[in-house]
Amino acid sequence: MTTQSEATDAWADTTRYHRPWYWYDWANSAFVTTVGTVLFGPYLTEVATEAACPGLAEDARCTTDLYVVPAAEGLPGWVPGLALVAAVALLVGLVLSLVAYARDTRLPYRPSTLVPPLALATVVLVLTAPLDPGSVAPYTVTLATIVSAVLLVFVGAITDRTPRPARLMGVFAWTGSAAAVLLYFLSGTNWRFGALMMIIASISLGASLVVYDALLCRIARPDDRDRVSSRGWALGYLGGGLLLAVNLVIVSKPELVGATTGTAVRISLLSAGLWWALFTLIPVVGMWNLRGAPRTELADAPRAGIVGGSLTQLGHTFRDLRAYPNTLLFLLAYLFFNDGIQTVISSSSLYGAEQLKFAQSQLIALILLVQFVAFGGALLFGWLASRWGAWRTILRSLVAWSAIVVLAFFLPEKAFLPFLVLGVFIGIVLGGSQALSRSLFSQLVPRSREAEFFAFYQAMERGTSWFGALIFGLVHQLTDSYRPAIVALVVFFVLGYLVLRRVDVRQGIMDAGNELPRIV
């Protein structure tokens, strides 16, 4: 048994790592806001459109499809069609088999046997499917998140076994920042290059954040983690907003740097990559002496390697969810409505630029506003949760999210003030719904196993967060309009609402062995 003095010694001299740890949020948030949220989607769409329809008039629509492999243009249409049907069927089968597995239902096959054919169908689909230029950006997000979901499971295992976790975080961060820097060369018609760099950057970001989040458990006492984590989160919003404000000036007045609008966008992409790389030096150098957990302290470490150990742990955690049905039900609800939230965030700039015809400078200003309003939204929803309870507050936020995407459908072109007002509502609901979702889930996980369950939660979140982007892209390709694509996302909020209503929060908290809060 660990004594109090031993527990104290385990945290001795870790406070010196707090300040350098904060700075990685500052470093990577600039990429998330400037590149991922604002500039990449619309700019890649412009490049893809130029590749498909050179010299297209500003008000005209491009109806020519693109192909990842140009030779695929000559293939019969049933090839990508069959690959799409197979991928969807296998994906549905995998989800259903996992649910059955969680319920301890006997199956004639292991769920893992569906993964290789699913991967093959996905590869065939990516290489042969015709791509509408307007859907290239959301498809890129889809592919990046699918690959990321698979790889992050192994990243977690590597992180647990590395002697210098800060060095590993630096490797991932600098790989991603290098890909972001190379986006400066995204011009002309080289849309494939831009999509590839964004996929590499997104995967590297996710991997670095796995290490970053894991380091929190090593540098902060349990009682300090809320404070340490919140400070890092706040510094990240400040850093991302600061660079975004600078890029707002560059994109809106490109003559200040002697460039065209397109070059100004590329300079902004470059600045985000350099910012990410430069400020990553602070946490890597500052936490260089921080050692990872000894290998002998890890479960299955003597017998299992990195791959085997990670898969074993994930399987144990998933099986254990069967004992916590309300936790599993909440997780399912969260996967639905969080997918809708993430798709609204990632697609808002594309919708504003292509459907509503706003300039890049206007979109950057809107995202900048949303970032700062989200702070107030989190505080407001925390106040509401103290009166209604987190469960009821989240349910009402899903009603608000549904209203937001429906209202977005009716926004007129070039009417920036209504778009700005809608952005304020998004910021209020965004900050609150995400903050309360995390806090409510923490009530539903068993005591002393929080990190284990949250690791599974994050892996599953990334495994499904591509579906909204896929639906957004498919609806646009079928209708040739972003309006039905944005309103289609209401399905995710409705499904999340219906599943969340079935969660018995009080029973779930008691099942997890946790103390009931004053208001449930």
Side-chain angles (χ1 to χ4, degrees):
M1 178 177 294
T2 302
T3 65
Q4 181 64 38
S5 60
E6 289 173 337
T8 301
D9 291 339
W11 300 107
D13 201 31
T14 57
T15 55
R16 64 191 178 99
Y17 295 121
H18 290 183
R19 289 185 182 276
W21 185 86
Y22 297 149
W23 281 95
Y24 189 64
D25 246 321
W26 170 284
N28 73 76
S29 293
F31 169 80
V32 173
T33 53
T34 293
V35 180
T37 307
V38 180
L39 293 179
F40 178 76
Y43 186 62
L44 182 66
T45 301
E46 290 182 11
V47 173
T49 302
E50 179 64 23
C53 303
L56 185 70
E58 184 176 350
D59 296 332
R61 284 196 173 275
C62 179
T63 58
T64 303
D65 289 326
L66 296 169
Y67 292 85
V68 174
V69 178
E73 187 174 1
L75 293 175
W78 61 265
V79 175
L82 181 61
L84 176 61
V85 171
V88 172
L90 288 167
L91 180 62
V92 172
L94 179 61
V95 172
L96 293 177
S97 63
L98 287 174
V99 172
Y101 180 69
R103 293 177 176 175
D104 206 17
T105 303
R106 288 188 173 274
L107 296 172
Y109 60 90
R110 294 175 63 88
S112 58
T113 60
L114 297 179
V115 174
L118 175 59
L120 178 61
T122 302
V123 170
V124 173
L125 179 62
V126 169
L127 296 180
T128 64
L131 303 175
D132 171 48
S135 298
V136 169
Y139 286 162
T140 299
V141 174
T142 298
L143 185 59
T145 49
I146 290 175
V147 177
S148 179
V150 175
L151 294 182
L152 292 191
V153 175
F154 304 105
V155 169
I158 295 171
T159 302
D160 286 337
R161 291 159 171 78
T162 186
R164 290 188 184 271
R167 178 176 59 184
L168 182 63
M169 184 182 74
V171 169
F172 289 134
W174 287 319
T175 300
S177 61
V181 165
L182 289 174
L183 286 174
Y184 175 79
F185 301 101
L186 174 58
S187 62
T189 60
N190 59 348
W191 61 273
R192 295 180 185 86
F193 170 79
L196 177 61
M197 290 302 101
M198 187 60 178
I199 289 171
I200 294 173
S202 298
I203 294 172
S204 300
L205 173 65
S208 68
L209 289 175
V210 168
V211 186
Y212 177 65
D213 292 341
L215 286 174
L216 177 62
C217 298
R218 301 182 190 179
I219 67 169
R221 294 178 174 85
D223 290 340
D224 295 335
R225 287 176 193 166
D226 288 342
R227 176 179 56 82
V228 173
S229 179
S230 297
R231 287 185 178 181
W233 181 76
L235 193 62
Y237 266 83
L238 181 61
L242 179 61
L243 184 64
L244 189 60
V246 173
N247 288 328
L248 168 61
V249 176
I250 294 175
V251 173
S252 60
K253 296 183 180 297
E255 64 273 9
L256 293 178
V257 293
T260 63
T261 300
T263 303
V265 171
R266 292 164 51 214
I267 291 174
S268 297
L269 298 175
L270 173 65
S271 70
L274 292 176
W275 180 292
W276 186 4
L278 177 63
F279 286 106
T280 296
L281 284 169
I282 299 176
V284 171
V285 173
M287 296 188 292
W288 185 260
N289 293 325
L290 181 64
R291 297 290 178 169
R295 186 179 179 87
T296 54
E297 295 179 7
L298 302 172
D300 299 327
R303 303 183 304 277
I306 290 176
V307 175
S310 62
L311 291 177
T312 298
Q313 185 59 48
L314 187 61
H316 288 166
T317 308
F318 192 86
R319 284 194 297 271
D320 289 344
L321 274 173
R322 292 176 296 192
Y324 308 100
N326 287 290
T327 305
L328 184 59
L329 203 58
F330 173 83
L331 183 59
L332 180 62
Y334 179 72
L335 294 180
F336 279 123
F337 68 75
N338 182 67
D339 199 0
I341 292 173
Q342 296 303 321
T343 307
V344 170
I345 295 170
S346 63
S347 303
S348 58
S349 60
L350 183 60
Y351 183 76
E354 297 298 318
Q355 189 66 53
L356 303 181
K357 309 301 181 184
F358 293 126
Q360 289 290 348
S361 58
Q362 293 175 299
L363 297 175
I364 295 176
L366 178 71
I367 299 301
L368 187 61
L369 174 67
V370 168
Q371 281 204 233
F372 292 113
V373 171
F375 276 106
L379 296 175
L380 172 62
F381 271 64
W383 178 80
L384 293 174
S386 67
R387 285 151 176 77
W388 298 340
W391 178 70
R392 292 180 180 84
T393 307
I394 296 172
L395 283 172
R396 291 166 186 177
S397 78
L398 297 183
V399 176
W401 274 112
S402 301
I404 285 171
V405 294
V406 171
L407 290 173
F409 177 86
F410 294 103
L411 285 177
E413 287 187 8
K414 299 183 179 180
F416 188 60
L417 183 58
F419 192 50
L420 202 64
V421 172
L422 194 65
V424 171
F425 288 135
I426 289 176
I428 293 173
V429 182
L430 172 65
S433 56
Q434 291 187 319
L436 291 183
S437 295
R438 179 175 298 184
S439 62
L440 180 57
F441 184 73
S442 70
Q443 301 279 0
L444 299 172
V445 299
R447 188 175 302 173
S448 301
R449 301 183 66 188
E450 293 87 356
E452 179 184 335
F453 271 67
F454 266 108
F456 176 76
Y457 166 87
Q458 291 172 6
M460 291 297 294
E461 175 186 350
R462 285 186 175 268
T464 59
S465 62
W466 56 270
F467 196 58
L470 177 62
I471 293 298
F472 187 84
L474 284 175
V475 173
H476 173 266
Q477 182 153 341
L478 293 174
T479 63
D480 201 29
S481 172
Y482 288 106
R483 292 189 184 275
I486 197 72
V487 80
L489 300 179
V490 74
V491 173
F492 293 95
F493 299 117
V494 171
L495 289 174
Y497 180 90
L498 294 176
V499 176
L500 185 59
R501 278 192 62 88
R502 297 183 58 192
V503 177
D504 187 338
V505 177
R506 182 179 296 273
Q507 185 62 49
I509 294 174
M510 291 190 294
D511 289 342
N514 295 324
E515 181 181 349
L516 285 171
R518 182 174 59 87
I519 299 178
V520 179

